[in-house]
Amino acid sequence: MKPRLKFEHIYKAFPGVQAVRDFSLEAQSAEILALVGENGAGKSTLMNILSGAILADSGRIFLDGEEVMIDSPRRALELGITMIHQELALIPQMSVGQNIFLGREPRLSTLRAMVDWKELYRLAQQELDRLGLKISARDLVQDLTIAQRQMVEIAKALSYKARLIVLDEPTSALSEREIETLFDLMRSLRQHGVTLIFISHRLEEVFAVADRIAVMRDGQLIGVKAANEISRDEVVEMMVGRELKEFFPKANVQRGALVLSVRGLKRGKNLRGINLDLYQGEIVGVAGLVGSGRSELARAIFGADRVEAGKISLNGKEIQLHKPEDAIRLGIGFVPEDRKAQGLFLGQSVRSNIVISLLNRISQLGFIRFKLADELVEKMIRQLNIKTPSVQQRVRNLSGGNQQKVVIARWMSLNPKVLILDEPTRGVDVAAKAEIHALISKLAGQGVSILMISSELLEILGVSDRILVMREGNITAEFSRKEATQEAIMRAATGQVDNQRLSLQSQTV
Ligand SMILES: Nc1ncnc2c1ncn2[C@@H]1O[C@H](COP(=O)(O)OP(=O)(O)OP(=O)(O)O)[C@@H](O)[C@H]1O
Ligand SMILES: [Mg+2]
């Protein structure tokens, strides 16, 4: 049988980077093929070529034995290739249904120029229901959570009769349960003969769902193996080209004075009277399901959202946070969850993005000392291993994981007193993840107090001195590093709490 998909000697260069070189690979029908590799390895570029978003410089692509020219996204769709992008591509101001049927709305049989809205919403709802999503086709996309938006993208992709579906990091914003739903769906699509290409930095997921694993490094295919014939360590070694110590032993930091203290913080259903203490040099992990209020807590402490009640004190003095600038001025830094919307200036250079909050510190007598800025930027690029041809590269042109590192670099170079990290390693490869963990640890060692939200329990367990679990706007459990286990955290996050020590939460304000 002819392979469903065949890449033959694909090349693609961008200014300063050979993103894909001499790449050849086959995928079969009814197969889930994982594509893994470090940030900037060329995965998204290759998939953008496949989905018609960009053209290869040379090379050939075959579908079911026939050579195809994929010169536009429309052509890819006609050929039965759909792609769920790493960066969400929905139009926020439109409804879910409008987004799903954008450009191919069903028309009224009587008046062909008119959209048949009733039919559109009926069909869209059908797609959503098929995925078991509790989303109405009439909801506006802007009212959905990131996780829900991602599920809508998947519903949209599936609504095209696809023979090849590419999922570029589809799970990074999903909760465990949503991920399971997605995997079940992928398996059932495979059963119907569909080929799925799955990109993820979470190797547990790759091993859970993929039949074969293809590894890319520096634009090249390093190897492809059946998932049951290769170990996790071997995959990592192929990815980074060396053996990697993935988990840094957490340094034992003597915790210092009380730095940040939060009492009775309230904001609607998301924050129902939160009490929290953060000490100098301490890393506090915040676990919980998507929607439990974790990000809202972070945003409130950063002054990004108004709160209805509550007190925040820094070094024993009550502070008023009306906007993020107030927090920044006081030494509170924040790496947000939705980097695209809240963290990055995509049209600007890597340098500007890193030094933007630093300008006050390095500008003297009104002009910026570029040399000092450049030294700092170069240092951060080295330290975090940010893959970019130069400090002048626009952030838009960096790979997803490298964009993420730029936001972290900005805050690290600011020397904050308190650093709030919301999913700091989402979309980041294993090597960089270990580097970021080591850096977080190092910052704590230098006396920075860190509040880290993460959906990855292993990350929470590996990095935190103390762990808080949130559920439905409350902190429902607290564990010391020693007491914490995955099971105990999951129980607290889902509401099956045993009698946890919650001294602080029972205090009245
Ligand atoms: N439009 C562009 N202009 C310039 N360079 C680009 C562009 N798109 C990608 N690149 C570069 O090509 C290389 C490959 O990027 P790509 O996005 O394919 O990586 P990736 O494997 O998907 O990484 P990640 O895991 O971080 O998403 C990177 O060095 C990136 O900076
Ligand atoms: Mg990518």
Side-chain angles (χ1 to χ4, degrees), residues 44 86 168-169 400:
S44 296
Q86 189 169 4
D168 194 348
E169 293 189 54

Side-chain angles (χ1 to χ4, degrees), residues 257-329:
L258 178 62
V259 173
L260 183 83
S261 173
V262 172
R263 288 293 177 274
L265 207 61
K266 283 207 175 93
R267 181 179 158 89
K269 288 186 309 211
N270 293 322
L271 302 174
R272 304 186 194 230
I274 299 285
N275 298 339
L276 171 104
D277 282 339
L278 189 58
Y279 293 81
Q280 188 178 29
E282 185 185 40
I283 304 176
V284 170
V286 184
L289 303 178
V290 173
S292 58
R294 297 171 305 168
S295 297
E296 287 75 12
L297 175 63
R299 292 175 52 80
I301 300 177
F302 189 58
D305 288 338
R306 287 245 146 188
V307 292
E308 290 144 20
K311 277 199 330 202
I312 302 176
S313 316
L314 194 65
N315 298 323
K317 274 220 313 262
E318 188 174 344
I319 55 174
Q320 302 295 334
L321 302 173
H322 301 294
K323 49 189 186 312
E325 288 74 20
D326 299 337
I328 294 170
R329 201 164 24 77

Side-chain angles (χ1 to χ4, degrees), residues 81-120:
I81 302 170
T82 65
M83 169 140 170
I84 292 152
H85 284 268
Q86 189 169 4
E87 310 307 342
L88 301 179
L90 300 173
I91 300 169
Q93 300 80 11
M94 286 189 179
S95 71
V96 169
Q98 278 177 296
N99 268 283
I100 291 179
F101 285 101
L102 195 64
R104 50 178 183 132
E105 295 84 355
R107 304 285 161 171
L108 287 174
S109 51
T110 42
L111 253 171
R112 297 294 298 169
M114 299 282 280
V115 172
D116 185 346
W117 291 106
K118 227 174 122 201
E119 181 67 359
L120 182 146

Side-chain angles (χ1 to χ4, degrees), residues 14-15 17-20 37-46 48 86 168-169 199 201 216 387-389 393 396-402 427 429:
F14 293 112
V17 213
Q18 187 66 45
V20 176
E38 286 188 274
N39 295 131
K43 306 177 295 292
S44 296
T45 302
L46 194 67
N48 286 335
Q86 189 169 4
D168 194 348
E169 293 189 54
I199 299 179
H201 287 293
M216 271 187 103
K387 223 177 201 167
T388 177
Q393 177 72 295
R396 176 177 289 123
N397 294 336
L398 296 189
S399 78
N402 283 299
D429 68 50

Side-chain angles (χ1 to χ4, degrees), residues 186-456:
M186 287 169 67
R187 293 183 188 112
S188 95
L189 288 165
R190 171 177 62 187
Q191 217 168 23
H192 289 93
V194 176
T195 301
L196 298 115
I197 301 183
F198 174 60
I199 299 179
S200 174
H201 287 293
R202 297 187 182 167
L203 293 182
E204 314 81 66
E205 293 178 356
V206 165
F207 277 98
V209 76
D211 301 306
R212 288 193 305 148
I213 302 174
V215 182
M216 271 187 103
R217 189 195 328 143
D218 294 333
Q220 278 176 305
L221 181 71
I222 299 299
V224 46
K225 290 267 166 56
N228 54 14
E229 286 168 7
I230 186 167
S231 72
R232 187 193 148 93
D233 285 349
E234 286 167 319
V235 170
V236 170
E237 200 174 326
M238 283 164 84
M239 276 167 62
V240 300
R242 63 190 143 89
E243 259 188 84
L244 182 81
K245 213 159 134 240
E246 263 188 70
F247 294 103
F248 284 78
K250 161 97 181 60
N252 257 333
V253 176
Q254 198 57 40
R255 94 175 181 190
L258 178 62
V259 173
L260 183 83
S261 173
V262 172
R263 288 293 177 274
L265 207 61
K266 283 207 175 93
R267 181 179 158 89
K269 288 186 309 211
N270 293 322
L271 302 174
R272 304 186 194 230
I274 299 285
N275 298 339
L276 171 104
D277 282 339
L278 189 58
Y279 293 81
Q280 188 178 29
E282 185 185 40
I283 304 176
V284 170
V286 184
L289 303 178
V290 173
S292 58
R294 297 171 305 168
S295 297
E296 287 75 12
L297 175 63
R299 292 175 52 80
I301 300 177
F302 189 58
D305 288 338
R306 287 245 146 188
V307 292
E308 290 144 20
K311 277 199 330 202
I312 302 176
S313 316
L314 194 65
N315 298 323
K317 274 220 313 262
E318 188 174 344
I319 55 174
Q320 302 295 334
L321 302 173
H322 301 294
K323 49 189 186 312
E325 288 74 20
D326 299 337
I328 294 170
R329 201 164 24 77
L330 291 163
I332 301 175
F334 178 43
V335 175
E337 165 186 47
D338 184 0
R339 253 94 47 187
K340 273 289 150 70
Q342 299 164 17
L344 286 168
F345 302 92
L346 291 175
Q348 305 240 13
S349 69
V350 171
R351 173 173 56 200
S352 318
N353 270 281
I354 293 180
V355 298
I356 204 145
S357 337
L358 249 186
L359 291 182
N360 287 334
R361 213 176 72 195
I362 52 177
S363 64
Q364 277 189 346
L365 305 169
F367 67 90
I368 302 161
R369 293 164 58 194
F370 281 108
K371 197 152 160 286
L372 196 62
D374 275 355
E375 276 167 18
L376 235 158
V377 171
E378 296 283 357
K379 191 177 114 199
M380 293 316 297
I381 288 177
R382 259 199 322 278
Q383 230 175 30
L384 286 170
N385 196 10
I386 298 173
K387 223 177 201 167
T388 177
S390 81
V391 298
Q392 272 133 16
Q393 177 72 295
R394 282 179 207 289
V395 164
R396 176 177 289 123
N397 294 336
L398 296 189
S399 78
N402 283 299
Q403 293 184 355
Q404 157 70 341
K405 293 188 206 171
V406 168
V407 187
I408 294 190
R410 175 194 304 162
W411 290 108
M412 292 202 161
S413 55
L414 246 185
N415 291 334
K417 291 198 196 79
V418 174
L419 185 58
I420 307 167
L421 304 157
D422 195 354
E423 305 284 0
T425 63
R426 173 186 294 168
V428 165
D429 68 50
V430 279
K433 195 180 235 172
E435 283 162 34
I436 289 172
H437 290 164
L439 266 163
I440 292 174
S441 230
K442 191 171 138 199
L443 286 173
Q446 294 165 354
V448 182
S449 305
I450 288 165
L451 193 68
M452 180 187 79
I453 296 166
S454 173
S455 298
E456 275 188 66

